[in-house]
Amino acid sequence: MTSKKSIKNKVVGKLKQVEGKITKDKVREAEGKAQETHGKAQAKADKKKEELAE
């Protein structure tokens, strides 16, 4: 099961990316990409933990 934290990071990261594109703020866009990637990595780690627990 994907954790709430990983879902939050993916969603907030995507929102930051969109905000950065709209405001033409490359730093904000990059922060969003990094946060979204972090959320994806968390989701994969959660999935592996579940597989190992079984």
Side-chain angles (χ1 to χ4, degrees):
M1 184 170 148
T2 306
S3 70
K4 291 179 184 178
K5 193 173 183 179
S6 66
I7 293 170
K8 177 188 163 260
N9 277 325
K10 289 192 280 187
V11 172
V12 172
K14 190 64 169 175
L15 290 173
K16 284 182 182 179
Q17 285 181 61
V18 171
E19 178 189 10
K21 285 181 182 181
I22 291 171
T23 61
K24 296 183 178 19
D25 184 351
K26 297 292 183 186
V27 173
R28 187 71 168 175
E29 195 174 340
E31 286 174 356
K33 183 67 176 171
Q35 188 168 0
E36 183 182 18
T37 302
H38 179 74
K40 288 178 181 179
Q42 281 179 322
K44 285 183 181 182
D46 291 341
K47 187 176 179 181
K48 289 295 179 186
K49 284 180 188 177
E50 286 178 17
E51 289 175 4
L52 290 174
E54 293 175 359

